[in-house]
Amino acid sequence: PVALLIGGDISGIQKFIYTITSKKAAQTLRGRSFYLQLLTEAVLRFVLNELGIPYTNVIYSGGGHFFLLAPVSAEEKLPALRNEITKKILTHHGTSLYFALGFTQVPAYEFEAEKFPKAWERMHADLGNAKTQRYTELGDEMHAKVFAIAEKGGNPDTTCSVCGGDALSIVEESRDEDGNSVKVCSLCDSFSKKLGKVLPDAKFAALGWQKPADTKSATFEEALLSFGLRAQLLTSEKDEVNLKHAERITLWALDDPKNGYPATGNIPAVHLLRYTVNDVPTDKGEIITFDELQKKVDGGFKRLGVLRMDVDNLGDVFKKGLGSYATLARISTLSFQMSLFFEGWVKRICEQFNGKIYAVYAGGDDVFLIAPWDVMPELALNIRNDFAKYTANHPDLHISAGLAFIGGKYPIYQAADDAEAILKSAKKNDGKNSFGFIGNAWTWVEFLEVRDKFERIVEIVSDKNGPHAIIQTLRELAEMKLERQKGDKEIWGPWQWRGAYLLKRMEERAKDELAREIKSIRESLDKNGYADIKQWGAAARWAQLQTRTKKESTKKGE
């Protein structure tokens, strides 16, 4: 062996970000997500410093994990390093987050093309083992630090209304619109006011590195400082960097810098471009609540859409995709190119939606976005289409998505689970490459067909003031067939003759162009034996949500 291949991974990210109540969720979500980027970088730098190796040894960092090369001699330092990192994270986050570390020895010949994936796979296997044996690195201390019953807790007066945890200190207390008490702990307050509130306008992040400190749990700043990091967000290159105790500074540009970087005085600094999807809907400089965001729906059905997307079979892409060309450099480049799309280009796509997108997370190979539901189908399709272009329409590189509908007060953790469940159902399609939308898992080609049908229905009922009954008719026909049909076998049934009769009656009552449009739908269904009635039913449901009036929504209790 000539080197160690080391992998680090922060587990529990999803639970940490999403397990918060709807109270003040919009103000804290983005701050929590960005904090994890900072924490990943802080832990990475801590590992590098403890092992005495430079940043150039880093293969990849992002999405809550990192990979690096180290000397073989570093292996003897890893047990103590794992122990120290675990204790620091336990101090500030309890068991909600965990840092796993895995490694493998790499002989010289495995750096040759095609052979490096073997080392990559061994390292990931060791990393997986570390995740399944959490806290064993603590040895005899594990029981006291992880399983011992807390001496304090369970007091509603010190329970944070945002994260639901027992807080050492409640720094803010107010009343919500229903008159309920809202208490905010110091950690959630720091995510909201010092990160989430500033991020929408931030152009740079200054990361000041200094000696790690022994800090107590209070705010995110204390957690980062325990690893030797102070962070400051800057809204302009003219802002003053105020990190006086830093020995060196890393300046992240969160987007393409137009007029250079902020000055850091006499402190050595390195400049890096670190694209960050910072889109958050605001009003007069304040982040609007999810209740307010759902009012931006163009129609009466006031709901939010929760969109989750990720690359299909990405593990296989890294293991087998490069084939005989697989080298350390190419695997590193592949990781970077994935992040560049999801952090850089998804940022550009979100910017096209005029401040309606709440970007909870976009990086690595996945996204989590919240917005008025009616813009989400187009947003998902834009991301899918641009990813296809980005990968030169490679048949084995594609993306799946799941869209859930929620109300503004719906718990975020439940919304995340709902969208993930829909995403998983979409991936059950043969070949994946699908979109879970309105109760079905469509391939992207099928979704385009559904969208075309949706546009035709909307044109009939809205643009041409045609019969709204066509929406309910198509939905009932689709449901009728769904109840009778088993498997993929096409069968005959009453939806065909009932559909022919009802659509013909509508056609006869309509005039000119409107009649011709209804006729074309009827003839299209007759021609293929109602094989695509499922698509028409979904398109009708979509059109019903899009065209529903405010009066109808109120009447239905929605």
Side-chain angles (χ1 to χ4, degrees), residues 312-340:
D312 298 317
N313 307 317
L314 190 61
D316 289 339
V317 172
F318 277 96
K319 289 178 184 177
K320 307 172 184 176
L322 294 169
S324 60
Y325 295 96
T327 62
L328 170 60
R330 291 192 175 106
I331 289 176
S332 174
T333 301
L334 179 59
S335 296
F336 167 75
Q337 295 284 25
M338 284 291 176
S339 292
L340 184 61

Side-chain angles (χ1 to χ4, degrees), residues 135-147:
Y135 304 113
T136 54
E137 63 272 16
L138 294 176
D140 295 338
E141 296 179 277
M142 180 167 62
H143 182 271
K145 290 188 174 295
V146 179
F147 297 108

